[in-house]
Amino acid sequence: MLMCTYISINQVPRTHAIVISRPAWLWGAEMGANEHGVCIANEAINAREPAAETEALLGMDLVRLGLERGATAKEALDVIVALLEEHGQGGNYYEDANSCHSFQSAFLIVDREEAWVLETVGKYWAAEKITEGVKCICNQLSLTTKIDAEHPELRSYAQSQGWWMGEDEFNFSEVFSPADDHLTCCSGRDTLEKQEESITVQTMIDVLRDKASGVCVDSESFLTTASVVSVLPQNGSSPCIHYFTGTPDPSRSIFKPFIFVDDVKLVPKAQSPCFGDDDPAKKEPRFQEKPDRRHELYKAHEWARAVLESDEEQGQKLRKTMLELEKQGLEAMEEILTSSDPLDPTEVGDLFYDCVDTEIKFFK
């Protein structure tokens, strides 16, 4: 099973649209954005060299630190690779005391002006700058011979392991991928490439909801836990807009808009509860127990999912209303993006708060 993260760079109007989806079997997979218009997506990947089980930095740690310290995509990339060099990566991605699930990491790092794919194996890494078209990352290495930046000892390390003799052209994924890694990556890519010149937010949302292709996972074993679509206009006067579900299964969730402004209103109903010093993540050894991290929106959405699954007539009415609420948000944000008037921060400071509050009240 594959997880995929996509970016589409439209030429007219010139925007970056990043679409991210996460199955539950890797709850540690991470996505996020900051107030500078930097977005980072992280995928756990399989590589020839297994990830260390020793506690170090996880992919999700690197996402948060990159967003905290990077005002551009390139700055965030530099932060991540510097931290890899100093601290390395490794540790358990699961709150599971019985076994350790550790992975190497791939990142899609985007801002208004540029986009990078960064793939890592231990402290070693390679990166490609993306200038056009559709790009995705998944659970496999994807970089080949086009490498725009790399760890200074990347090739010598590959040679020392006997993975590359130095005679053929250096192909990152061929050198560092497992010998049996032949899965087809990024099942939604063809859909996006066919619509490349006319991709909209709705296009991206539809890709995330596509169960037939395997992008949207909904089974007894696996479930897409959260999704986001971000629109990053190159026009600096237009705001970046991020559409979050905050709930599982995008085909049964509402994408809700969020805009970074000063004094943005926090949304406790979409924040997992705080356990303080009793959090298993803060105790050593870590993750010896699994607390209930569901927030209020998540719990309300569980009721909605149960209705959609068990009551066909009521489920259809519920889904219709959910899509109507979502449509209202999409249309309101489109008006903001196409308006020549400057954005009034006071009008959107409580935007996501109000959307979450409305959704919860509607479910109740």
Side-chain angles (χ1 to χ4, degrees), residues 133-147:
V134 173
K135 183 68 178 180
C136 70
I137 58 173
C138 60
N139 301 125
Q140 300 168 268
L141 295 171
S142 64
L143 300 184
T144 55
T145 58
K146 184 181 182 304
I147 298 175

Side-chain angles (χ1 to χ4, degrees), residues 6-23:
Y6 307 89
I7 179 175
S8 171
I9 302 178
N10 295 347
Q11 299 301 318
V12 182
R14 180 76 173 176
T15 61
H16 295 168
I18 181 170
V19 56
I20 312 169
S21 189
R22 294 287 180 267

Side-chain angles (χ1 to χ4, degrees), residues 22-30 58 60 92-96 225 287 290 293:
R22 294 287 180 267
W25 60 284
L26 283 179
W27 66 267
E30 186 81 345
L58 300 174
M60 65 183 75
N92 198 355
Y93 270 73
Y94 281 48
E95 288 186 313
D96 182 356
T225 55
F287 305 131
K290 188 173 183 179
R293 299 189 184 276

Side-chain angles (χ1 to χ4, degrees), residues 57-91:
L57 291 174
L58 300 174
M60 65 183 75
D61 298 321
L62 294 166
V63 168
R64 288 193 287 268
L65 291 164
L67 292 171
E68 176 187 81
R69 304 178 186 183
T72 67
K74 185 57 167 61
E75 284 183 10
L77 185 152
D78 292 339
V79 166
I80 290 173
V81 299
L83 290 168
L84 281 174
E85 181 69 28
E86 182 175 357
H87 302 288
Q89 63 178 313

Side-chain angles (χ1 to χ4, degrees), residues 313-327:
E313 182 178 353
Q314 188 179 359
Q316 288 179 350
K317 293 179 180 178
L318 178 60
R319 177 172 172 77
K320 182 179 179 180
T321 305
M322 291 171 66
L323 292 177
E324 182 58 35
L325 288 173
E326 180 180 275
K327 181 182 178 182

